Amino acid sequence: MDLAVGAADTLYDLPIKLAAALGFFAAAGVEVHLWEYPGGMAALEAVREGHADVGAGPFDALVLANARGASLQSFFVYGRTPQLVLAASSRTLPPQPTIQHLVGKLVGVTSLGSASHRFLRLVLLDAGVPESAVRVVPVGAEARAAEALRAGSIDGFCGLDPWMTRLERSGDVRVLADSRSVRSSDALFQGAMPGGCLFAPYARSKAGDPGIERVAQAVFQALKWLRTAELSDWNALASKAAWARDVGTTSAAVAVSLQGYTADGGLPEGGARTAWRTLVRLYPELSGVPLSLSRLHTEHYALLARARLRL
C-alpha cells in the first residue's frame, strides 16, 4: 500500500509516523510505503493521479479538490484541528504585535495555495486586513522558514509544530493566531474544523477496501498510543525514529497540540460544513458549486477500527 504524505518534517501527520515507527501497520497486516511530497496538495494530487493508493493531508484540501472536480473521500480523520499557527517575528516586529502589524511586511507560508496560506488569508480576512496589504512569500518547509525568521528575512510565518513550539520556546516568535487547541480553532473557524485525514479515491473507499481497513486500524492504534504515552515512551521512540530524537521539543509540542488529534478517527460534528463555509469565504467563486458534503467522508473504517480494538 503506497501512502502519500505531505508536511514531512512536522507533527501534522504524527499518527501516521507513529503507526510506521511502532509497527502498527505491520501488526494490522498491511505493508505500507510512505512517500513524502512537498505538502498536502501534492500528496492529494499523487492519489488523484494514481501514483499512490491512499494519501494524508488537510481535510479542507480534499473538499477544495472535490469542488474542483476530484472524486476523493476521507476515510479516517486524525486531525481534530488544523494545528496551524501564525506567528510574528520577535526580531522585526513590536513586542506585542497584532495582525495589523503585518501590513507591508513579509509573511512566509509553505507554498502559495497551501493550508498555511489559506489559514493566513482567513486570519487577515477576519481582522479586516486586505490580503494585498501583506507580502506573502512561499518559503518551503518549516525548517527553512525558521532559518528565515531568525535571519530577519521574513517578519512572520504560518506553520506547524514542532517548529512553532521550538520558535516560541526560543523567543524568536510571538503567536498571533493559533488553531492547535479545540477552543481556539473552533473560535477561529466558527465551528469544528477538521485537520489531517486519510483519503482514497471515492470508488475504492466506497467499495470497502480491506487494505484501507488495515491502514485505518493502524492509525487508530497510533492515536490510542498517543493518548497514553509518557516521557519514557518518547525516549524509546527516539531510538527508532530520527524525527523524534529531539525528545524535549517533540514532547512539548505534542503536549500543546494533543487536543488537535481526534480520539477515534471520526469526522467532528459539523466539520464538513465548517470546511465548506470557510472555503467559500476564501474562494467566493465556489458558492454556486453543487458539492455533496455526504460524499466527502465515510465513518465506515473508523467504526471498524473502534470495534476491533474495542474502544
Side-chain angles (χ1 to χ4, degrees), residues 2-6 13 16 33-37 40 42-44 46-47 51-57 198-199:
D2 290 330
L3 199 168
V5 297
D13 296 329
I16 296 169
H33 302 280
L34 298 182
W35 297 95
E36 296 181 356
Y37 288 83
L44 188 148
V47 175
H51 301 308
D53 300 298
V54 296
L198 289 162
F199 56 85

Side-chain angles (χ1 to χ4, degrees), residues 202-219:
Y202 178 80
R204 182 170 185 173
S205 175
K206 189 69 174 176
D209 187 279
I212 291 179
E213 289 181 19
R214 296 186 180 103
V215 168
Q217 180 178 326
V219 178

Side-chain angles (χ1 to χ4, degrees), residues 34-186:
L34 298 182
W35 297 95
E36 296 181 356
Y37 288 83
M41 289 300 292
L44 188 148
E45 285 302 313
V47 175
R48 187 176 182 180
E49 295 173 5
H51 301 308
D53 300 298
V54 296
F59 182 81
D60 72 324
L62 178 141
V63 177
L64 182 58
N66 278 10
R68 292 173 170 172
S71 183
L72 300 169
Q73 185 174 67
S74 159
F75 63 85
F76 192 93
V77 178
Y78 53 86
R80 170 58 181 83
T81 71
Q83 300 183 27
L84 286 157
V85 178
L86 173 61
S89 168
S90 301
R91 181 187 180 113
T92 63
L93 292 179
Q96 295 182 323
T98 66
I99 302 300
Q100 282 69 26
H101 285 113
L102 297 179
V103 172
K105 301 299 184 180
L106 291 167
V107 181
V109 297
T110 53
S111 63
L112 298 180
S114 65
S116 64
H117 189 192
R118 290 193 296 277
F119 186 72
L120 171 63
R121 291 180 62 205
L122 179 69
V123 173
L124 293 174
L125 182 63
D126 286 344
V129 176
E131 186 179 354
S132 59
V134 175
R135 299 162 66 189
V136 181
V137 183
V139 293
E142 270 77 359
R144 291 181 59 190
E147 292 175 4
L149 275 166
R150 287 167 176 153
S153 303
I154 57 176
D155 305 294
F157 178 63
C158 189
L160 298 160
D161 270 334
W163 294 98
M164 303 314 291
T165 291
R166 184 175 289 129
L167 290 167
E168 283 183 85
R169 295 177 86 189
S170 64
D172 289 303
V173 300
R174 292 182 174 86
V175 172
L176 295 173
D178 192 338
S179 68
R180 288 174 292 191
S181 76
V182 171
R183 182 176 180 178
S184 61
S185 177
D186 286 3

